[in-house]
Amino acid sequence: MTRTSIATVAGLILTAGLLGSGAVAASAADGTGTPARAATATTAAPKPPKGARAVVQVGPNPTTRRGQEVTITGNCGGGEKLKAVIGGLTQRPSLTNIRIIDDNPQGFVAKANLAREIGNGVGPVLVDCGGEVGVTLLVTHM
C-alpha cells in the first residue's frame, strides 16, 4: 500500500465513530406523558472520498478462537481488483495465512486465520484494490 492509501485508511478509521452517531433522531416526552413527534429529516452518510471507496466485511465478526478462519468479502468500489488484505497496522498483525480466493472487483473473497497471539480487542482489516482502499473493524473475544 502506498503512503497515500494508508493515510486515507487512517482517516477513515478515525472518522468511523463520527459517521454512525450523526443521524440518530430521538423522541422526548413533552411533559404530559405523550411522546413528542420525532424529527423527520434524515441525514445520509457522505460518500467516501476518491481512493477510499472499497467496501469490506469480515465474517464471523466478532471472532472467538485463536487460529479461527475468517472470510473477507466486499467490492472494490471502482478499483481495479483486490491486490492485498492487511490485518492490523502494527508489528504483530491480527491476520495470518491470508489467501485471496477471488480478486473480482465487483465481489472479492479472501480467507485468513486469526493470529495465535491475538487477545480481546478491536483492530482494522484493510483491503487494497489498486486505486481504492477499504477498512472495517474486526472484534475479538478470546
Side-chain angles (χ1 to χ4, degrees), residues 19 21 44 70 72 76 83 94 104 113 115 127 129-130 136-137:
L19 293 177
S21 63
V70 295
I72 299 107
C76 287
K83 295 185 181 253
S94 57
N104 183 348
N113 296 90
V127 295
C129 285
T136 192
L137 295 175

Side-chain angles (χ1 to χ4, degrees), residues 23-31 33-40:
V24 178
S27 64
D30 63 3
T34 59
R37 189 180 340 176
T40 56

